């Protein structure tokens, strides 16, 4: 017999290559009639439904597996305990004392083995591997659930098409059906604009920092020759960072620095997801967002301080009390990150404000990235003008690495942009989707009134509608839950006129229970007139055309390091695509907390443009 030659092939497992999995690689095209297509869809759905959902192993279960596999003595001690127990039952009182002592010492030994295992590095790695493996299965299961979920409505179609295909997998069938259906909105979809492509403006374009290292100023300020990982050593990201060469000191995780770059067992760009944003090899600009949000919604005022404290505590623990932007632990507090889908130009429908995640910011980062409107505007004789502090400007430059003199103007551009966004969004009513907040009981504070169409009215200001999570209201604690609307996104420049053909099948708004739509009138534009100067500054930023950016080759990782395009999941993309990233991050409610919403925030390094 000839021994098989095992070849080690250097295959790059890019996402596309994994995805293409033809059922019959060399197979012929199969003609599928509408009738057999329908029965195939039914089979796929019932197969999926009959399969159990993967169950998250508890720490105790993982510990049991670990002890069984890695600590041979554990089984022996267990057996001894069982044996002694039996022996004690059938023995004389004299022997009993001796045997009981032995039993107690065996039990103590068992506890010691568990305690040793629990604090061992081996177990932490083992646990993190098990959790990662579960998460992978769970993600695959969820992806399948999404596909099956999308496939289901097609059963309701009276006329299914006949298709030609090489595979009858759910994905392939869905792709065929979607192609037939085209990209038209479905009836009842809310038509909204996808986010503005701010990152294409040259000042806000992501830049590589590999050449220059981490900002000297940032190092002097907070880090002292090390980078602090914004995770605790007790959860996945912290443990993984340690496995990559980070070290632990007093409950926190750090990477050492050399020449402005973190020292790890991988290249800098491969450990980006463990680092605070401002210390990553690729800097994705963080732009200020006015706080509170223009909808008038805030967790603290709407659901009360105790609720906000509970959410804060949970997030702080997850991030080991460190700022996700700069790694500092000075006066860290939590801020929500929202994404906004705005109404089509010319429509009076409300927009949808979606919770992405909660992020811990230190006092500097909070002041710089979440300024209040009042702190950015001062009155002058001819209207409001931009005014900001030197500290704030300096810090925005530092965390965004706008170090060149010509980049100084980016700071005021960023604040002008934030003001204009806030003004634009203040003229719209908002549906606030808080589906991502899943852990805390929500009760409406006194002073808010819910009308018959479920708009929540504050004492002063505009109403908003809360969707995606149940909340309780009033003295008799009635429960309110409104499903988030289904959204069909159109381009940023879309106007009522040019989406008119899509409107035939859908609404610019979604009918609520009284059929009145989501439309309510927003009585006042809450912002006083801007000065001609400020208006001019706003036009200069908002009217600037998008540019084709030439990336400086020098700034990119060398060919010896991983190329950015090869690893779309782990590296911040050069052209971030918010819609795709949002889909990746959704539907993972049951996943491990430490890999939850913030993981997608970290993995994708989505710029904070909202
Ligand atoms: Zn910070």
């Amino acid at each position: 017999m000839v021994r098989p030659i095992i070849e080690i092939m250097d295959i790059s497992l890019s996402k596309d290559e994994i995805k293409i999995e033809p059922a019959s690689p060399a197979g012929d095209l199969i003609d599928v009639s509408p009738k057999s297509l329908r029965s195939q869809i039914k089979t796929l759905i019932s197969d999926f439904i009959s399969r159990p959902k993967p169950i998250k192993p508890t720490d105790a279960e993982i510990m049991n597996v670990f002890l069984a596999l890695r600590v041979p003595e554990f089984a022996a001690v267990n057996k001894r305990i069982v044996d002694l127990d039996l022996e004690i039952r059938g023995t004389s009182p004299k022997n009993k004392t001796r045997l009981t002592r032995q039993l107690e010492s065996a039990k103590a030994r068992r506890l010691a083995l568990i305690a040793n295992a629990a604090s061992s590095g081996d177990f932490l790695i083992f646990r993190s591997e098990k959790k990662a493996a579960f998460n992978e299965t769970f993600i695959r299961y969820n992806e399948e659930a999404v596909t099956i979920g999308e496939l289901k409505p097609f059963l309701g179609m009276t006329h299914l098409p006949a298709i030609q295909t090489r595979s009858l997998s759910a994905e392939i069938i869905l792709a065929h059906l979607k192609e037939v259906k085209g990209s038209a909105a479905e009836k009842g979809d809310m038509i909204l604009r996808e986010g503005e492509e701010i990152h294409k403006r040259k000042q806000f374009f992501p830049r590589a920092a590999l050449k220059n290292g981490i900002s000297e100023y940032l190092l002097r300020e907070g880090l002292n020759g090390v980078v602090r990982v914004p995770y605790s050593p007790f959860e996945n990201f912290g443990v993984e960072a340690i496995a990559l060469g980070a070290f632990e000191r007093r409950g926190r995780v750090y990477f050492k620095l050399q020449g402005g770059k973190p020292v790890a067992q991988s290249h800098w760009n491969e450990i980006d997801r463990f680092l605070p944003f401002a210390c990553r090899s690729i800097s994705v600009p963080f732009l200020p967002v006015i706080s509170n949000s223009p909808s008038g919604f805030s967790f603290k005022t709407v659901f009360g301080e105790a609720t906000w404290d509970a959410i804060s505590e949970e997030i702080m623990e997850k991030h080991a009390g460190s700022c996700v932007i700069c790694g500092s632990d000075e006066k860290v507090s939590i801020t929500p990150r929202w994404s906004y889908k705005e109404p089509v130009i010319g429509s009076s429908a409300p927009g949808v404000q979606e919770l992405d995640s909660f992020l811990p910011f230190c006092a500097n980062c909070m002041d710089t990235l979440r300024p209040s409107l009042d702190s950015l505007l001062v009155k002058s004789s001819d209207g409001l003008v931009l005014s900001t502090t030197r500290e704030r400007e300096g810090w925005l430059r530092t965390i965004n690495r706008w170090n060149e003199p010509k980049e100084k103007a980016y700071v005021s551009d960023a604040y002008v942009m934030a003001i204009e966004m806030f003004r634009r969004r203040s003229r719209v009513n908002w549906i606030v989707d808080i589906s991502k907040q899943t852990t805390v009981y929500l009760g409406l504070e006194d002073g808010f009134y819910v009308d018959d169409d479920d708009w929540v009215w504050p004492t002063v200001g505009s109403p908003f509608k809360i969707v995606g999570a149940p909340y309780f209201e009033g003295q008799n604690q009635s429960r309110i839950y409104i499903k988030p609307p289904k959204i069909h996104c159109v381009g940023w420049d879309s106007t009522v006129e040019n989406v008119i053909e899509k409107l035939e099948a859908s609404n610019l708004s979604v009918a609520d229970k009284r059929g009145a739509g989501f439309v309510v009138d927003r009585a006042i534009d809450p912002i006083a007139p801007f000065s001609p100067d400020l208006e001019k500054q706003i036009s200069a930023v908002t009217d600037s055309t998008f540019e084709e950016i030439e990336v400086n080759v020098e700034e990119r990782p060398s060919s010896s390091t991983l190329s950015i395009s090869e690893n779309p999941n782990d590296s911040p993309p050069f052209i971030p695509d918010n819609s795709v990233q949002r889909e990746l991050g959704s539907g993972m409610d049951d996943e491990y907390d430490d890999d939850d919403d913030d993981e997608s925030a970290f993995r994708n390094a989505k710029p904070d443009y909202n």
Side-chain angles (χ1 to χ4, degrees):
M1 202 178 127
V2 182
R3 288 184 71 180
I5 299 163
I6 299 166
E7 274 190 63
I8 298 169
M9 291 183 6
D10 189 16
I11 303 170
S12 143
L13 288 179
S14 78
K15 216 179 175 192
D16 281 343
E17 274 166 337
I18 295 172
K19 256 196 176 164
I20 300 166
E21 242 175 41
S24 50
D28 299 319
L29 280 172
I30 317 160
D31 280 311
V32 187
S33 70
K35 203 179 150 197
S36 54
L37 183 60
R38 189 178 296 275
S39 84
Q40 175 64 12
I41 295 175
K42 281 184 186 159
T43 310
L44 286 166
I45 293 170
S46 66
D47 280 358
F48 180 78
I49 291 171
S50 62
R51 225 169 336 127
K53 190 176 175 177
I55 295 169
K56 175 158 76 177
T58 61
D59 276 0
E61 283 160 354
I62 295 174
M63 174 57 86
N64 270 324
V65 176
F66 178 82
L67 290 167
L69 290 175
R70 305 276 175 89
V71 187
E73 195 194 337
F74 187 71
V77 172
N78 264 341
K79 186 171 180 306
R80 177 138 179 79
I81 289 172
V82 174
D83 289 348
L84 282 168
D85 219 26
L86 284 173
E87 225 176 306
I88 286 171
R89 281 178 214 181
T91 193
S92 65
K94 193 181 143 210
N95 271 340
K96 205 168 186 171
T97 322
R98 180 176 56 85
L99 290 172
T100 307
R101 247 199 321 270
Q102 285 179 13
L103 178 64
E104 267 156 21
S105 97
K107 281 182 176 168
R109 180 64 193 149
R110 180 166 67 174
L111 275 181
L113 287 173
I114 295 172
N116 274 342
S119 61
S120 73
D122 267 2
F123 174 66
L124 290 180
I125 291 166
F126 183 83
R127 187 178 62 176
S128 118
E129 283 168 358
K130 286 283 169 233
K131 288 189 172 184
F134 166 79
N135 283 346
E136 216 169 277
T137 316
F138 191 73
I139 287 167
R140 235 180 293 126
Y141 178 87
N142 272 316
E143 281 171 354
E144 234 186 308
V146 169
T147 309
I148 294 292
E150 283 185 61
L151 210 48
K152 255 188 198 167
F154 284 101
L155 284 180
M157 262 171 81
T158 31
H159 301 288
L160 283 176
I163 61 169
Q164 275 199 325
T165 178
R166 284 194 168 82
S167 154
L168 285 172
S169 75
E171 293 83 6
I172 303 283
I173 289 179
L174 184 61
H176 274 288
L177 289 172
K178 274 185 170 170
E179 205 179 302
V180 173
K181 203 173 123 263
S183 61
E186 281 175 49
K187 203 171 170 160
D189 279 5
M190 224 178 147
I191 297 190
L192 294 171
R193 291 187 287 160
E194 60 205 9
E196 193 179 2
E197 291 182 305
I198 292 170
H199 56 275
K200 284 195 180 169
R201 296 181 202 279
K202 74 164 185 269
Q203 61 270 52
F204 305 137
F205 196 72
R207 61 206 59 219
L210 286 162
K211 202 176 147 224
N212 298 327
I214 294 167
S215 162
E216 286 288 320
Y217 185 63
L218 192 61
L219 297 183
R220 251 200 331 271
E221 277 302 295
L223 295 164
N224 262 333
V226 292
V227 183
R228 184 163 43 220
V229 178
Y231 296 104
S232 83
F234 309 110
E235 54 116 11
N236 281 3
F237 271 124
V239 173
E240 284 170 32
I242 291 168
L244 284 165
F247 66 94
E248 184 195 341
R249 191 191 292 152
R250 275 181 251 132
R252 295 186 188 279
V253 180
Y254 303 84
F255 279 107
K256 277 201 190 72
L257 287 171
Q258 211 165 57
K261 293 165 193 178
V263 182
Q265 281 146 26
S266 312
H267 293 288
W268 188 5
N269 48 345
E270 290 168 57
I271 57 163
D272 270 347
R273 61 200 180 106
F274 305 106
L275 301 173
F277 283 100
C279 299
R280 294 183 173 191
S281 65
I282 289 175
S283 158
V284 184
F286 268 77
L287 300 185
V289 181
I290 308 277
S291 181
N292 287 328
S293 62
S295 62
F297 175 89
S298 114
F299 278 95
K300 203 173 183 173
T301 49
V302 175
F303 295 125
E305 213 147 312
T307 302
W308 183 239
D309 288 348
I311 294 173
S312 294
E313 204 176 299
E314 186 197 339
I315 306 293
M316 287 291 265
E317 201 174 308
K318 189 154 84 176
H319 292 279
S322 302
C323 173
V324 288
I325 304 290
C326 71
S328 163
D329 59 356
E330 302 270 312
K331 297 185 191 152
V332 176
S333 56
I334 304 301
T335 181
R337 174 152 70 176
W338 301 100
S339 68
Y340 293 84
K341 295 204 171 75
E342 301 184 35
V344 168
I345 299 163
S347 136
S348 59
V352 174
Q353 171 186 352
E354 288 171 333
L355 177 67
D356 268 347
S357 55
F358 296 104
L359 299 174
F361 281 7
C362 70
N364 274 343
C365 292
M366 194 66 93
D367 177 69
T368 303
L369 296 173
R370 293 287 187 270
S372 70
L373 188 66
D374 290 348
S375 73
L376 285 176
L377 293 171
V378 289
K379 284 202 177 93
S380 78
S381 53
D382 52 356
L384 297 171
V385 293
L386 173 70
S387 143
T388 183
T389 62
R390 279 184 60 185
E391 289 74 25
R392 196 177 260 170
E393 289 178 15
W395 195 245
L396 192 62
R397 289 185 66 182
T398 297
I399 56 181
N400 284 328
R401 298 180 232 199
W402 291 335
N403 303 325
E404 306 287 321
K406 65 169 182 190
E407 292 165 350
K408 209 173 166 187
Y410 294 180
V411 172
S412 50
D413 285 356
Y415 284 112
V416 161
M417 187 83 115
I419 291 168
E420 173 55 11
M421 259 183 197
F422 186 88
R423 178 168 68 164
R424 192 180 68 226
R425 290 170 178 167
S426 295
R427 295 171 178 145
V428 175
N429 285 110
W430 291 95
I431 295 166
V432 183
D433 182 349
I434 53 169
S435 316
K436 288 263 177 75
Q437 196 298 118
T438 52
T439 49
V440 174
Y441 169 93
L442 300 172
L444 205 59
E445 284 285 279
D446 292 342
F448 289 93
Y449 159 75
V450 185
D451 73 15
D452 288 343
D453 291 320
D454 301 319
W455 286 94
V456 180
W457 293 79
T459 325
V460 182
S462 303
F464 42 82
K465 187 172 278 200
I466 303 167
V467 304
Y471 62 97
F472 294 83
E473 183 246 343
Q475 287 185 324
N476 38 10
Q477 290 288 286
S478 51
R479 181 184 186 272
I480 300 176
Y481 174 74
I482 305 152
K483 246 173 86 176
K486 260 187 77 210
I487 297 169
H488 179 88
C489 277
V490 291
W492 176 249
D493 295 326
S494 300
T495 60
V496 170
E497 288 75 36
N498 62 32
V499 292
I500 212 83
E501 70 271 27
K502 282 171 180 155
L503 295 184
E504 281 175 25
S506 52
N507 277 316
L508 269 179
S509 60
V510 174
D512 57 26
K513 65 185 181 197
R514 285 184 154 191
F518 276 106
V519 184
V520 293
D521 285 331
R522 189 158 193 126
I524 23 159
D525 192 339
I527 302 173
F530 291 174
S531 67
D533 261 5
L534 181 52
E535 292 289 2
K536 219 186 287 171
Q537 278 176 289
I538 289 173
S539 310
V541 187
T542 53
D543 297 348
S544 67
T545 47
F546 295 144
E547 298 189 26
E548 285 304 312
I549 310 288
E550 274 183 43
V551 179
N552 183 354
V553 182
E554 292 266 279
E555 283 191 354
R556 306 194 71 163
S558 71
S559 54
S560 67
T561 67
L562 191 73
S563 117
I564 291 158
S565 57
E566 273 172 28
N567 206 342
N569 279 332
D570 289 350
S571 314
F574 261 89
I575 309 288
D577 179 343
N578 286 353
S579 60
V580 173
Q581 288 163 9
R582 286 206 48 72
E583 277 167 31
L584 286 175
S586 65
M588 309 277 180
D589 298 340
D590 289 343
E591 211 184 336
Y592 281 102
D593 283 350
D594 36 23
D595 278 350
D596 207 341
D597 46 0
D598 294 318
E599 181 191 29
S600 67
F602 268 79
R603 276 182 188 273
N604 297 311
K606 188 165 72 178
D608 197 24
Y609 292 134
N610 298 301

